[in-house]
Amino acid sequence: MNGGAETRTATVEDPQFADSVTTTSGRTGSTAYLAEVWVNFKRWNRKALRNPFIVVGSVVQPVVFLLLFSEVFGGVVGATIGDAAGVGYLTFLVPAIVIQVALIAASSSGIGLVNDIENGMFEKVLVTPMRRSAVFVGKTLSEMIRVAVQGTLIVVLGVLLGATIETGVLGALAMLGVAVLFSVWFTAFSNVLALVTRDQESTIIGANLLTFPLLFVSSAFLPIESLPGWMQVVARLNPITYGVDATRTLMIEGWNWSALAPDLAVLVGLDVVFGAVAVFMLTRASSARV
Amino acid sequence: MQPVSATTSSPAETPRRAAIRADGVSVTYASGTEAVKNVSLTVPEGEFFGFLGPNGAGKTTTIKALVTLLDPTGGAVTVNGFDARRDRRALRGSIGYMAQETSIDLELTARENVRFACEAYGVPRGERTARIDDLLALVDLADVADDQAKTYSGGMKKRLDVATALVHRPPLVFLDEPTTGLDPKARNRLWEYFRRINEEGTTVFLTTQYLEEADQLCDRLAVIDDGRIVAEGTPAELKARVGGDVLSVDLVDADAVTVERAERVVRESGLLDGEGVVSRTDTGLSVTSQRARRVGTDLLVALRDAGILVEGFEVHSPTLDDVFLAITGVPAGERVAGANATTGAGR
């Protein structure tokens, strides 16, 4: 066996070779970047529409939560909470369910990526000249549309059941904006989980392991003050609390910017950090040292 | 952008620019596995280059290092004049890549898959529709262009995969075992496409474990085994390395004891005059010798006289199966999983 053999054939040096090669990757600037985002955004939206079960299925659980919690939980603690907040339990609950919808939609984002990894599309995308961040942003924007649609469904259902929105229609839209903002960090987290595990079951289990504890150790279903002492500490560190508090401020208090601003700042910070990690992981996906 | 530097040249060839140049490329995974060890190769523009090796030899890892899907842990790669570390985006825009596993979005239609590739590679908007139609016609999917890809057969999916890899008309295409798992008809159709794009000037880098495929398509080959390139040359040159014709003997009882005895009989017969190679195969023996045609009958008689029953025999010019056997010392059928299905390797 000739261990030292290497393939050598006659070639000639051409300093202008690269310049003469037809490459389609010459797109530069913000327009090109947006075009790359748009390409990915379209693909993921198209896939979502082809699979309505995911869109419909992931909204069923929050709807059930809304109905069950408002009926069962509301009867037990609703009066206390309602009195404290000055509103009915349903009005208290709707912001939490809107954030829950965002959380569930975001948690399933990684499953799509694992599918891509399994059917080879992930590599196909990575080997194109598209920027990794544009790939991530396009996919995330598509998830945001889903969050907004599902959030709208919850808000409309809540209003139909008797919930009131202090800030009106504009506030309802702002609530959806908060939900979308909230969804980004968990979408990024779910995608990171997918890139690390490269396995559907692990991605689902990993996301679910966090989803429910995070929901219950937060201000979602009960005021923080009513939680046990240690839980209050965790709840104040829990991103869900900031999402729920911001939407609840809009739902119950109005345009209270001194309450909204810190919550939104935390969400933006989380989005930037987790988004950066996701893009880093996407870039690192082409390293042998993974 | 760095220019491609010159490599060794032969006066017999007209020098061309190097579409691919790899210098001492090594890939060691985090687990410590050395998948590719100091691989160097140069592929000139317009060549149909075959990268041949058994499963796990390092073919796919090498191709991934060349297309920037893996960062080599050592060495340097230049493709189409672009450095694989510094000019990644430009490099990616200048190549087509078809992975070993079919890589299409099953939820999209063929037309949508090709359009996605068009947009991802920045094909000018005005050219997209015509190019999509042309490509879908080329791969015979025009009639089902608006059906979701998940309804396609394996061969149709592969053909769609080819279309998405060619959509931006790259000057260089990497094909990683493109016909693995396909039936002969589907494989032949893909071979036609590959030949056609190569004739039109596209450089093709093909990895395969099918010796017949490499023999049929490639201008030049490199054989990789255990992460190292162990041979290179044209198919004819590699066959010449075998050193003669090949007598394949199938035994009625091909158990280890009988085969060993048969091997001893052939070696001790004196008929090979001290030259030639005797190797064991799944079904008997392979005798490679300049004298194989002349003494073949006498060898069979020697085996019969020793009480070893011969089921069949064949004398033929060396094939790449024989090259593989000569280079690696192991029959291709034992190293190349699935090769028997399409090439008859291993007999």
Side-chain angles (χ1 to χ4, degrees):
Chain A
M1 192 181 290
N2 178 7
E6 59 183 47
T7 80
R8 286 293 183 219
T9 191
T11 53
V12 66
E13 183 175 357
D14 179 1
Q16 269 76 52
F17 187 12
D19 297 331
S20 70
V21 170
T22 307
T23 167
T24 53
S25 63
R27 298 187 300 195
T28 53
S30 56
T31 312
Y33 187 82
L34 289 177
E36 290 172 12
V37 169
W38 179 244
V39 173
N40 289 283
F41 175 73
K42 273 197 303 185
R43 179 167 86 90
W44 286 103
N45 273 338
R46 201 165 267 153
K47 285 165 71 69
L49 291 172
R50 293 276 154 81
N51 200 345
F53 179 77
I54 292 177
V55 180
V56 176
S58 59
V59 87
V60 167
Q61 191 182 50
V63 167
V64 170
F65 264 54
L66 181 68
L67 297 175
L68 284 182
F69 270 56
S70 60
E71 288 299 313
V72 181
F73 228 31
V76 181
V77 296
T80 316
I81 294 169
D83 288 347
V87 292
Y89 185 65
L90 189 66
T91 302
F92 180 84
L93 191 61
V94 165
I97 303 297
V98 168
I99 292 301
Q100 188 193 5
V101 162
L103 193 66
I104 291 174
S107 71
S108 62
S109 173
I111 299 168
L113 187 57
V114 173
N115 274 335
D116 253 20
I117 291 171
E118 287 174 350
N119 68 27
M121 273 305 285
F122 180 64
E123 267 195 5
K124 184 144 235 158
V125 169
L126 288 186
V127 86
T128 70
M130 291 191 294
R131 279 155 282 212
R132 306 306 200 229
S133 60
V135 172
F136 173 70
V137 171
K139 183 173 187 297
T140 305
L141 282 174
S142 158
E143 314 289 359
M144 286 176 164
I145 296 286
R146 197 169 124 201
V147 167
V149 170
Q150 293 179 339
T152 303
L153 194 68
I154 295 298
V155 171
V156 169
L157 185 64
V159 170
L160 289 176
L161 291 173
T164 54
I165 305 172
E166 181 65 25
T167 47
V169 175
L170 208 58
L173 291 173
M175 283 169 63
L176 297 176
V178 172
V180 163
L181 188 67
F182 170 84
S183 69
V184 174
W185 78 272
F186 209 72
T187 298
F189 172 77
S190 176
N191 280 281
V192 168
L193 214 53
L195 286 168
V196 171
T197 66
R198 298 187 174 228
D199 174 69
Q200 273 202 38
E201 283 183 12
S202 305
T203 304
I204 294 168
I205 290 170
N208 281 348
L209 270 178
L210 275 178
T211 305
F212 283 97
L214 281 177
L215 267 173
F216 284 98
V217 189
S218 75
S219 61
F221 301 117
L222 294 168
I224 284 188
E225 296 72 27
S226 62
L227 299 173
W230 69 269
M231 271 196 185
Q232 289 190 27
V233 175
V234 177
R236 286 184 207 288
L237 296 171
N238 184 346
I240 290 181
T241 297
Y242 295 91
V244 170
D245 284 357
T247 44
R248 194 165 279 154
T249 298
L250 290 163
M251 185 99 179
I252 297 173
E253 291 182 34
W255 299 101
N256 180 354
W257 286 106
S258 59
L260 284 170
D263 293 336
L264 296 179
V266 168
L267 294 180
V268 169
L270 281 168
D271 291 352
V272 170
V273 170
F274 278 85
V277 171
V279 172
F280 172 75
M281 291 295 293
L282 272 172
T283 309
R284 200 175 142 75
S286 60
S287 169
R289 298 183 185 88
V290 174
Chain B
M1 294 171 196
Q2 292 299 304
V4 177
S5 51
T7 59
T8 56
S9 60
S10 153
E13 297 179 45
T14 306
R16 288 172 284 174
R17 299 184 299 187
I20 303 169
R21 181 179 171 142
D23 284 314
V25 170
S26 300
V27 178
T28 304
Y29 288 105
S31 61
T33 306
E34 288 181 85
V36 174
K37 302 163 187 169
N38 196 29
V39 163
S40 296
L41 57 85
T42 306
V43 178
E45 279 183 304
E47 187 166 77
F48 205 128
F49 183 84
F51 203 49
L52 190 66
N55 270 340
K59 300 186 300 293
T60 295
T61 304
T62 303
I63 210 170
K64 284 188 175 180
L66 297 177
V67 302
T68 75
L69 281 175
L70 265 182
D71 282 337
T73 42
V77 172
T78 310
V79 172
N80 286 332
F82 299 111
D83 184 281
R85 287 186 200 277
R86 288 194 302 271
D87 308 314
R88 286 165 181 270
R89 287 192 65 219
L91 188 161
R92 289 172 186 149
S94 74
I95 60 168
Y97 169 63
M98 184 176 171
Q100 189 173 340
E101 303 296 334
T102 308
S103 308
I104 52 173
D105 194 323
L106 298 175
E107 285 168 297
L108 303 186
T109 66
R111 193 183 303 283
E112 288 166 345
N113 265 290
V114 182
R115 182 170 290 279
F116 173 76
C118 267
E119 293 171 347
Y121 281 97
V123 172
R125 190 182 294 272
E127 296 175 22
R128 286 177 194 161
T129 304
R131 203 176 286 194
I132 292 166
D133 289 342
D134 286 350
L135 268 172
L136 290 175
L138 172 73
V139 296
D140 295 331
L141 291 175
D143 293 343
V144 289
D146 297 310
D147 293 350
Q148 278 182 275
K150 64 184 173 190
T151 63
Y152 291 179
S153 68
M156 292 162 80
K157 286 174 185 166
K158 280 277 186 189
R159 287 180 351 239
L160 175 57
D161 205 4
V162 173
T164 60
L166 302 179
V167 72
H168 52 302
R169 295 182 182 157
L172 167 63
V173 179
F174 291 88
L175 305 169
D176 191 3
E177 299 195 21
T179 60
T180 299
L182 292 185
D183 61 65
K185 189 180 166 196
R187 198 177 68 239
N188 284 331
R189 286 175 97 164
L190 281 185
W191 286 1
E192 282 172 30
Y193 303 141
F194 301 154
R195 275 200 200 97
R196 181 167 151 187
I197 61 169
N198 180 245
E199 283 164 11
E200 289 169 355
T202 305
T203 310
V204 181
F205 185 100
L206 169 94
T207 74
T208 183
Q209 47 177 302
Y210 296 153
L211 304 167
E212 182 194 357
E213 183 165 88
D215 204 9
Q216 287 271 335
L217 296 173
C218 299
D219 301 322
R220 206 161 55 89
L221 299 171
V223 180
I224 186 169
D225 191 36
D226 191 27
R228 288 190 175 86
I229 291 178
V230 293
E232 67 94 13
T234 64
E237 285 169 350
L238 290 181
K239 285 177 193 170
R241 282 184 57 166
V242 174
D245 292 321
V246 180
L247 167 67
S248 299
V249 181
D250 294 341
L251 302 177
V252 172
D253 295 315
D255 57 274
V257 175
T258 310
V259 173
E260 187 182 347
R261 200 155 66 85
E263 184 182 0
R264 200 165 55 243
V265 167
V266 170
R267 286 187 193 284
E268 293 172 358
S269 67
L271 291 165
L272 297 177
D273 242 6
E275 62 94 25
V277 176
V278 183
S279 312
R280 296 176 202 176
T281 65
D282 289 344
T283 54
L285 290 179
S286 168
V287 181
T288 306
S289 166
Q290 301 287 358
R291 300 162 58 87
R293 284 185 194 278
R294 212 178 322 147
V295 303
T297 313
D298 296 334
L299 283 174
L300 294 172
V301 170
L303 287 170
R304 189 196 61 192
D305 292 348
I308 297 169
L309 300 178
V310 174
E311 188 167 82
F313 67 92
E314 178 195 9
V315 183
H316 59 86
S317 298
T319 64
L320 282 171
D321 299 66
D322 305 310
V323 172
F324 211 88
L325 180 63
I327 293 169
T328 65
V330 182
E334 289 179 18
R335 300 291 292 271
V336 183
N340 289 353
T342 55
T343 66
R347 288 175 288 280

